[in-house]
Amino acid sequence: MSDQLRPRASLRTAVVWEVLKDALDHRVKATGRDALDVLDTGGGTGNFAVPVARLGHRVTVVDPSPNALFALERRAAEAGVADRVRGVQGDIHGLFDVVERGGYDAVLCHGVLEYVDDPAEGVRNAVAALRPSGALSLLAAGLGGAVLARALAGHFTEARQALDDPAGRWGEGDPVPRRYTAEQLTELVSGADVEVGAVHGVRIFADLVPGVLVDTEPGAVEALLKLESAAAELPAFHSVATQLHVLGIKRA
């Protein structure tokens, strides 16, 4: 799992990966099936799809970018899981033009809700793709992390604008169309017939610590990973996380 071994990649994905892996293990035990059907909406080049396939599961990736899907195909082949990864062109709003309803044990919706026109519809579609008691893994940009990052960079006006903006944007040059609080994400999930299992803050400290410190100090990566993991579930830190992760279970 080469992506998980690179220091920067592991800092960005470790918390989500551990939560997701535990959820998949739970579904394996609950269903009695070693191989689950997993849908990764907006899965791009396979940052999560390929590691999930390496666990033995079948993964369908839906993404609007042909280039990303081409890279996914190559990546899956290099990892030896080409037979368990399928890429199809599409998006969350037209999801059922390319995949079946109620056909998946787990659905990943990572980095999607920031960009869709109707986030509530996006979540409803993701949930509709799940089998009863299936797991929803939702990852989206956090408002507080952006405000803190702009303030620490000395852009105080932009930080204030992000704080006041309904979409959490700091200005015209902001590349992220929409950010969320933990409360907003859990409301979206709860309103789609999903029971919220856990909320995690992601990249609470990793984006604030100087890279040179992480890369050069012996043991710094491991210590920072442990700190991120320890703080991830604490609500006090959700408000400053760069990303927010919600794990939900579709009501049976």
Side-chain angles (χ1 to χ4, degrees):
M1 200 176 304
S2 61
D3 289 38
Q4 302 297 326
L5 297 177
R6 292 201 300 268
R8 284 293 169 188
S10 63
L11 284 171
R12 294 188 183 100
T13 63
V15 169
V16 179
W17 173 248
E18 290 303 319
V19 174
L20 177 61
K21 186 176 180 298
D22 286 347
L24 293 174
D25 289 345
H26 180 78
R27 291 300 300 151
V28 165
K29 293 176 183 176
T31 61
R33 291 183 282 110
D34 291 335
L36 302 176
D37 296 301
V38 178
L39 176 65
D40 189 353
T41 64
T45 61
N47 284 342
F48 282 91
V50 170
V52 168
R54 293 184 70 171
L55 295 176
H57 305 305
R58 296 177 292 270
V59 188
T60 299
V61 175
V62 176
D63 197 277
S65 168
N67 290 337
L69 293 174
F70 178 77
L72 167 71
E73 183 178 356
R74 185 174 64 246
R75 189 178 197 169
E78 291 173 352
V81 295
D83 59 326
R84 294 196 293 273
V85 176
R86 179 174 73 103
V88 292
Q89 190 172 359
D91 60 35
I92 192 75
H93 286 314
L95 190 59
F96 301 114
D97 294 334
V98 293
V99 302
E100 64 176 310
R101 292 178 182 270
Y104 298 91
D105 300 290
V107 172
L108 282 58
C109 186
H110 295 174
V112 172
L113 295 187
E114 296 94 325
Y115 300 95
V116 296
D117 294 331
D118 188 340
E121 182 192 14
V123 173
R124 287 195 300 269
N125 284 351
V127 174
L130 282 169
R131 292 168 178 153
S133 300
L136 174 68
S137 176
L138 186 67
L139 182 69
L143 170 62
V147 173
L148 185 61
R150 300 316 289 175
L152 290 177
H155 304 300
F156 307 120
T157 301
E158 291 179 350
R160 176 60 187 269
Q161 182 167 337
L163 195 60
D164 295 337
D165 186 73
R169 303 187 76 230
W170 47 256
E172 290 298 321
D174 192 337
V176 179
R178 189 182 289 106
R179 293 185 179 87
Y180 297 88
T181 64
E183 291 75 18
Q184 288 170 332
L185 280 183
T186 54
E187 284 176 12
L188 280 173
V189 171
S190 299
D193 205 27
V194 169
E195 182 178 347
V196 176
V199 180
H200 295 86
V202 180
R203 289 157 59 187
I204 298 169
F205 309 103
D207 289 354
L208 303 177
V209 176
V212 64
L213 190 155
V214 177
D215 296 334
T216 59
E217 288 291 322
V221 172
E222 292 77 10
L224 184 51
L225 280 170
K226 290 179 180 178
L227 178 61
E228 289 276 355
S229 180
E233 286 194 70
L234 300 177
F237 290 99
H238 294 167
S239 59
V240 295
T242 298
Q243 293 177 309
L244 295 164
H245 181 250
V246 177
L247 181 71
I249 304 298
K250 183 176 182 178
R251 294 186 175 92

